Structures are given as C-alpha cells and as structure tokens.
Amino acid sequence: MPSLVHIAKSDVRWAMMRHHFTPCADQVGVFDRLRSIQFDPIAPVGCNHDLVLQSRLKDYRVGDWQKLAYEDRHVYDGWDKMASLVPFEGWPLRRHIYTVHRRAFEEKIFGEHKDAVDRVLKEIEERGPLMPKDFDFQQRKEEWKGSWFGPSVTKQVLRALWHSGQIMTAGRKNGQHIYDLTERVVPQRLREVPPLAAKDAERELVLERHRAMGIVRPAAPGEVWSYSVLAYAKHEAIAALVERRELVPVSVEGVKAHATPAFLSLLDQPLLEPRVVFVAPLDQFMWDRKMIGHLFDFEYVWEIYVPEAKRRWGYYVLPVLFGDALVARVEFHCREGALEVRRWHWEPRDPGPGFLPALETALREFMSYCSATSIRVEAGIDEKIGSVAASLSGERRPINE
C-alpha cells in the first residue's frame, strides 16, 4: 500500500501548470490529456469548450471543435462529468453512466409513456437525424410545465433516450441537438466491446477523473463525480485504485487528496516558460475550486447564475493565470469583430515585471482565437491594461463611447 506523500503547495502549482497547460500539438492531444471537455452553450467569447481548447492550442479558433466531433467523429457530444465532448474511445466505459441515468426515467418515461418512446424511435429510424421541432409526433402535457425539460412529451422522451444512451447527438444546428440512433453514431467496434461490471466501471471512471485533473480531493464537489453515478462509489473505487498503485494518497500542506503517478512525475520536471492563460470557468483546472483556493489563494465563483446586483466580479469572468499564480480575473465579450475587455480585477499580489509583455502576447492570440480585428477596453479599467490593448488596436476606446 503506497504511503502518504507530503507535497508543498508551490510544487503542486507547478505540476498543475505542466499537466494542464503544457501546449498540445492538436485537439486530439488535448482530449487525450483531459479525457473529456465540459460542453456549455453560453458564448460571450466562444463557449467553455472553446476556451478550454484555446488555452492549450496556439492556433485554435472558436468552433473548430465541430469538425472533430461531427465530421471526423473523433469525439462525441454526450455526457461525462456533465454534458461534455468525449473521445469515442471513452464511449464503452461511459455506458455505465447511461445505465445509472436511465433509472431516473424508468417509470415516468419508459413505463408511463412507452408509446411515445416507440413513436420517437421509429421516426428517427425511418427519417434519419432530427431536431426536436422536426418530429411529426408532437405531444404536450401541461402538468409538466415548469419541469426541467418542460411540457413537451417529445422533448422529454428525447432527453430520456439521450441520457440513457439509446440516441445520441449527431450534430447541432444553431446550438440545438440533432438526434440519431446510437448504432448510427458509435462505430460498431466500440458497440461490440463487452460492458464492464458496475464496480469495474465505477473504478475506471474515478480513475478517469484523476487522469483528467491530475490531483483530486475525495471531497471534491458532486459534479466532479457526475453526482449519483460515482458519488456513492468513489471511496471504494479510490481504495481499490490505491491498492493497485494507480493512485497515490497525498497531503498538500494538510489537505488530503489522491494523484496519479503520472502527475507526481511532473513534480521534478523543469519549470515552464511563464505565459498568460485565460482559463475557462469549467476547465478541469477549476473543477475543484476549494483546492484551487488552497493552492492559489484564489476564490472563484462563476457568477453567471448570481443576480446581477450580488455579483462581485461579473457575468462570465475568466481567471487569469501567469506562471504558477492566478493574478487577475477578466470578463471578455466579442461582437462585430471587436474584443471587449469589460472587467479586469487584480488579485492582491504583484504579477511581476514579465506580466504585461506576456499579456500582450496572450491578448493578440486571443483576438485571433475569436476572430477579432480590434480590442476595446471599458472605461475605469487599469491604465496598464488599456495601454496593452492600445498597442494591439492602435488606440484605447471605451466600450460605451
């Protein structure tokens, strides 16, 4: 049984930098490292999944993921931690997620509305991929108004089939799912892989989380464990993985966690060249915000669901990483070819003399990422940030002029 390894916070910070933000050669490399990327449709400056990819790829552009998903079929648009983009090679293991999710729909949808299920499946089989609005079968139950998926029986059935793995997202149009039968989306060689027993699947999914994050507290929030899928199984799974030496128990200045041997091997690697990284709100790096708070002395709340009057930082604020420190937070918005810097909040630490040149490089690359040809800075933002922006656009112009 591996003994407890004690690690300094400073060492873990640099290991996290190497694990998460060592640049990758292509999108496939990012997915290999992160195992999946959380999908979120809100897009003030690309979506969360775009932001995750741009932080690891030099020439990534908003929307580039779609070719990998819907043309190359390297990743599928499904469920992992939450709604996610997942490499197809991970689909056989994640059948366990579908098995657990189906239980929530068994009585209400698959039992009480079997005829609706049959009709929806028959339409997809006969007509091919369809958006919800394109089904001939359209039925409502007004008593379902206000529920998670609303009063449309058709939509509720589609989501039940999607969450239970009988249909999949074959593409999207204006962000909306286009559904098709799983057997027409997943390659046959993967569908023929024998399913794992529940405990084996739970163990491997828990290992996937650790591979994605590098280091994970057992007390990480429920969404890290995909809620009911792994929340009750994680402790037994972690114990088995420690016994097999696939995980190592660690203490980071008093905080207990587990790390993969691959992550621990990064502790002795050379330091990375410091660069500015704009971190996505749902990036694996940020999944355990209490650990981020412990390591980086950085409190983060994604305030998208916080009433505007109660927000401290802004609607869609990104942590700003430089070297091994979270030095600021920024809110961007891109529209009509202009990248807007709407908010900038410094952390109470000096980022160092190399920060502003690194920020200029990062902003130039970020403009390219979101196809912006100019940059505008909100009035009241630190003059140093405005000066960097002015060097990229020729002048400093407030957003509201």
Side-chain angles (χ1 to χ4, degrees):
M1 179 75 67
S3 58
L4 185 67
V5 176
H6 293 269
I7 318 174
K9 289 193 285 188
S10 58
D11 290 336
V12 175
R13 287 198 299 269
W14 277 110
M16 288 188 71
M17 292 302 305
R18 298 181 191 102
H19 173 72
H20 285 284
F21 298 116
T22 298
C24 294
D26 53 27
Q27 290 187 61
V28 171
V30 179
F31 279 101
D32 285 348
R33 182 187 300 172
L34 298 181
R35 324 305 287 181
S36 67
I37 296 177
Q38 190 165 341
F39 185 101
D40 188 86
I42 299 168
V45 60
C47 298
N48 177 78
H49 40 286
D50 288 305
L51 288 162
V52 170
L53 288 160
Q54 67 80 29
S55 66
R56 294 161 173 89
L57 292 174
K58 183 175 178 58
D59 296 319
Y60 181 82
R61 303 290 181 269
V62 171
D64 280 356
W65 66 274
Q66 295 184 67
K67 180 177 184 297
L68 197 72
Y70 305 133
E71 296 178 31
D72 301 343
R73 294 296 187 191
H74 181 79
V75 299
Y76 66 92
D77 183 349
W79 196 270
D80 188 36
K81 167 182 173 277
M82 302 287 282
S84 301
L85 301 171
V86 188
F88 266 104
E89 295 300 325
W91 180 86
L93 172 59
R94 287 160 180 79
R95 280 179 294 188
H96 178 68
I97 297 175
Y98 297 136
T99 299
V100 175
H101 281 183
R102 179 175 174 119
R103 298 168 191 161
F105 301 97
E106 197 65 59
E107 181 178 347
K108 177 181 175 181
I109 301 298
F110 296 111
E112 297 177 9
H113 292 84
K114 183 179 182 303
D115 288 347
V117 171
D118 292 342
R119 290 183 66 177
V120 166
L121 286 172
K122 185 175 178 60
E123 274 205 62
I124 298 176
E125 181 181 5
E126 293 179 349
R127 298 179 58 198
L130 294 170
M131 296 177 66
K133 67 180 183 62
D134 295 328
F135 281 81
D136 291 334
F137 172 72
Q138 298 288 341
Q139 189 179 86
R140 291 171 60 89
K141 289 182 72 72
E142 294 305 321
E143 60 267 37
W144 287 358
K145 197 169 183 178
S147 65
W148 185 255
F149 298 126
S152 169
V153 174
T154 307
K155 288 183 179 180
Q156 293 250 15
V157 165
L158 286 167
R159 297 307 287 179
L161 290 167
W162 188 83
H163 276 285
S164 61
Q166 296 183 61
I167 62 174
M168 295 184 68
T169 304
R172 287 180 183 256
K173 184 176 181 180
N174 299 323
Q176 299 297 306
H177 291 266
I178 302 171
Y179 295 107
D180 201 357
L181 300 176
T182 294
E183 55 264 34
R184 295 202 293 234
V185 176
V186 179
Q188 183 176 350
R189 64 181 177 81
L190 297 177
R191 289 187 279 111
E192 291 176 348
V193 174
L196 290 176
K199 287 193 179 300
D200 292 337
E202 290 163 351
R203 184 187 68 245
E204 292 303 312
L205 285 167
V206 167
L207 182 57
E208 285 282 87
R209 292 295 182 269
H210 287 79
R211 286 172 173 161
M213 298 171 68
I215 184 169
V216 190
R217 294 182 309 128
E223 61 266 24
V224 168
W225 311 108
S226 203
Y227 297 108
S228 60
V229 177
L230 299 173
Y232 305 108
K234 63 182 178 182
H235 293 294
E236 183 178 347
I238 289 171
L241 290 163
V242 170
E243 181 71 28
R244 293 158 61 121
R245 298 183 181 273
E246 294 181 271
L247 291 180
V248 178
V250 300
S251 175
V252 185
E253 297 188 21
V255 171
K256 300 294 179 62
H258 294 86
T260 63
F263 180 82
L264 294 178
S265 73
L266 298 174
L267 293 170
D268 299 323
Q269 297 295 314
L271 299 183
L272 293 175
E273 180 78 21
R275 67 184 181 100
V276 169
V277 179
F278 303 120
V279 184
L282 303 175
D283 194 296
Q284 273 84 336
F285 181 80
M286 298 298 299
W287 277 3
D288 187 353
R289 293 173 191 166
K290 285 190 176 180
M291 181 60 111
I292 291 296
H294 178 64
L295 292 171
F296 293 87
D297 192 23
F298 185 86
E299 180 188 1
Y300 182 72
V301 177
W302 194 32
E303 295 184 316
I304 192 169
Y305 300 115
V306 175
E308 185 173 1
K310 295 183 178 181
R311 291 177 189 147
R312 288 181 289 171
W313 299 301
Y315 172 71
Y316 202 102
V317 169
L318 311 181
V320 180
L321 190 66
F322 180 58
D324 70 334
L326 287 163
V327 299
R329 47 194 99 208
V330 61
E331 182 172 22
F332 290 121
H333 191 85
C334 190
R335 60 178 177 177
E336 299 175 352
L339 176 63
E340 300 175 354
V341 183
R342 293 187 166 183
R343 287 177 178 81
W344 182 277
H345 304 275
W346 288 107
E347 287 296 290
R349 61 181 65 91
D350 183 358
F355 177 74
L356 292 179
L359 176 63
E360 181 175 347
T361 298
L363 284 174
R364 181 180 293 108
E365 292 176 352
F366 203 75
M367 289 173 66
S368 179
Y369 148 77
C370 61
S371 300
T373 56
S374 64
I375 183 169
R376 304 175 184 175
V377 178
E378 177 66 86
I381 287 177
D382 190 327
E383 283 293 332
K384 293 192 293 293
I385 306 305
S387 295
V388 172
S391 71
L392 297 172
S393 62
E395 61 175 326
R396 176 180 175 137
R397 291 191 297 156
I399 293 170
N400 55 358
E401 72 174 346

